[in-house]
Amino acid sequence: MFRKKVVRIDGLLGEIIRRQGLEGPLLQKRLLDSWGKVVGNTISSYTTDKYIRNQTLFVRLSSPALKADLGMMRSRLVKRLNDTVGSQVIVDIKFI
């Protein structure tokens, strides 16, 4: 009896996800889900909506003062969010 080529399931699933074009949306979903972990519970409680369009994360906040503070931390937040996901998903954040 001949031994067939054995493939690990995690490698196979990763390949299927890439072929079907689902890797980008999956990474975007992971990034959106990691928002609360990166910014903390307090800031997350002021977040009313968030979405990604054209590699830009749009975050709707209920506090104008918080918008100004987070605007100054924009580049650090982009780096931390991308590092959490393990890939460059976003290049900018807009606070609306």
Side-chain angles (χ1 to χ4, degrees), residues 1-76:
M1 190 168 217
F2 295 101
R3 185 175 192 152
K4 294 183 179 184
K5 183 180 175 187
V6 178
V7 180
R8 291 184 50 139
I9 190 74
D10 60 346
L12 183 63
L13 285 176
E15 181 64 29
I16 291 171
I17 288 171
R18 274 190 288 288
R19 270 196 239 154
Q20 296 295 322
L22 299 174
E23 187 174 33
L26 181 61
L27 289 173
Q28 289 178 0
K29 174 72 169 122
R30 286 181 184 163
L31 188 131
L32 291 173
D33 290 344
S34 69
W35 172 257
K37 178 182 164 190
V38 170
V39 298
N41 291 334
T42 305
I43 295 174
S44 183
S45 68
Y46 288 100
T47 304
T48 58
D49 190 24
K50 55 191 178 298
Y51 59 92
I52 298 174
R53 183 173 293 143
N54 296 330
Q55 292 187 319
T56 301
L57 173 62
F58 292 89
V59 180
R60 186 175 307 275
L61 298 169
S62 60
S63 170
L66 190 57
K67 287 180 195 178
D69 288 345
L70 291 179
M72 291 184 275
M73 298 174 43
R74 181 176 296 155
S75 61
R76 282 187 283 170

